[in-house]
Amino acid sequence: MVKRPNILITGTPGVGKSTLAKELASITGFTYLCVGDLAKEEQLYDGFDEELDCPILDEDQVVDEMEEKMAEGGVIADYHGCDFFPERWFQIIFVLRTDNTLLFNRLEQRGYSDRKVEENVQCEIFQTIYEEAMESYRAEIVHQLPSNNPDDLERNLLQIQAWLQKWLLDNN
């Protein structure tokens, strides 16, 4: 049993995962792990998707690369997918959700192609990441959080910190 839990912050690109995860890591002293950055640094890819203009993640290599870090506990992982991570890694999963119009604007500001914006907004509309999380993990560890504005960010930080304090009391 880990002394500190691992937390997954997931959701469609543009919902605020990195902002929340970095802030939470700063407050808690946990290790922030951006899976996309890790894949880029270590070249953990299995090709390139020309249509969406992005590399294709080699999920097995990513899991191998993360295994040791996750075993120690105290990691806040940030990624837009979740179904390939081993269930044993995470004690809680937060799926961030954003209003479709806000998400559309955020992705356009990032310079995403029309196709990529459309794909990601559709993903949010159909709750794809939430459903992926519910199918991949025990329902009681998967939670949705709104992520539309700075007030949501503050509420989410407080809620996650409260959960963390309870987990630490119950497990140490």
Side-chain angles (χ1 to χ4, degrees), residues 114-138:
D114 290 346
R115 169 75 195 266
K116 200 167 178 177
V117 170
E118 182 182 327
E119 287 272 328
N120 284 301
V121 170
Q122 294 260 338
C123 182
E124 186 67 7
I125 289 168
F126 293 114
Q127 302 184 50
T128 305
I129 306 299
Y130 177 67
E131 288 183 12
E132 182 179 292
M134 290 298 288
E135 290 171 8
S136 302
Y137 304 96
R138 295 181 328 276

Side-chain angles (χ1 to χ4, degrees), residues 19-160:
T19 301
L20 176 64
K22 286 176 186 174
E23 187 69 26
L24 188 61
S26 173
I27 292 167
T28 62
F30 279 36
T31 300
Y32 169 66
L33 178 61
C34 177
V35 176
D37 289 349
L38 174 70
K40 189 175 188 177
E41 290 164 13
E42 302 297 327
Q43 290 298 298
L44 306 175
Y45 300 123
D46 191 26
F48 192 83
D49 185 328
E50 298 292 338
E51 204 170 308
L52 293 177
D53 190 34
C54 64
I56 299 167
L57 195 69
D58 185 323
E59 296 171 350
D60 292 334
Q61 281 188 350
V62 169
V63 168
D64 290 346
E65 189 70 29
M66 291 176 63
E67 185 72 51
E68 194 174 309
K69 291 176 179 76
M70 300 308 290
E72 295 170 14
V75 173
I76 299 169
D78 157 12
Y79 195 61
H80 61 264
C82 64
D83 63 345
F84 64 95
F85 296 125
E87 184 175 4
R88 71 181 183 281
W89 278 3
F90 299 106
Q91 285 65 50
I92 195 156
I93 297 164
F94 295 102
V95 181
L96 300 187
R97 303 296 312 278
T98 298
D99 173 87
N100 300 327
T101 303
L102 289 172
L103 182 61
F104 181 91
N105 293 336
R106 289 177 190 174
L107 297 176
E108 271 199 329
Q109 288 173 351
R110 288 184 177 184
Y112 281 23
S113 68
D114 290 346
R115 169 75 195 266
K116 200 167 178 177
V117 170
E118 182 182 327
E119 287 272 328
N120 284 301
V121 170
Q122 294 260 338
C123 182
E124 186 67 7
I125 289 168
F126 293 114
Q127 302 184 50
T128 305
I129 306 299
Y130 177 67
E131 288 183 12
E132 182 179 292
M134 290 298 288
E135 290 171 8
S136 302
Y137 304 96
R138 295 181 328 276
E140 63 268 16
I141 71 167
V142 177
H143 304 273
Q144 292 187 81
L145 296 174
S147 183
N148 295 306
N149 55 52
D151 289 340
D152 286 341
L153 174 63
E154 287 304 313
R155 273 191 299 276
N156 293 341
L157 286 167
L158 291 171
Q159 182 176 341
I160 296 170

Side-chain angles (χ1 to χ4, degrees), residues 1-5 91-92 161-172:
M1 185 75 175
V2 294
K3 289 197 182 283
R4 298 186 310 165
Q91 285 65 50
I92 195 156
Q161 288 176 81
W163 173 86
L164 179 58
Q165 288 176 340
K166 181 171 178 4
W167 190 94
L168 290 169
L169 280 173
D170 291 348
N171 292 278
N172 287 307

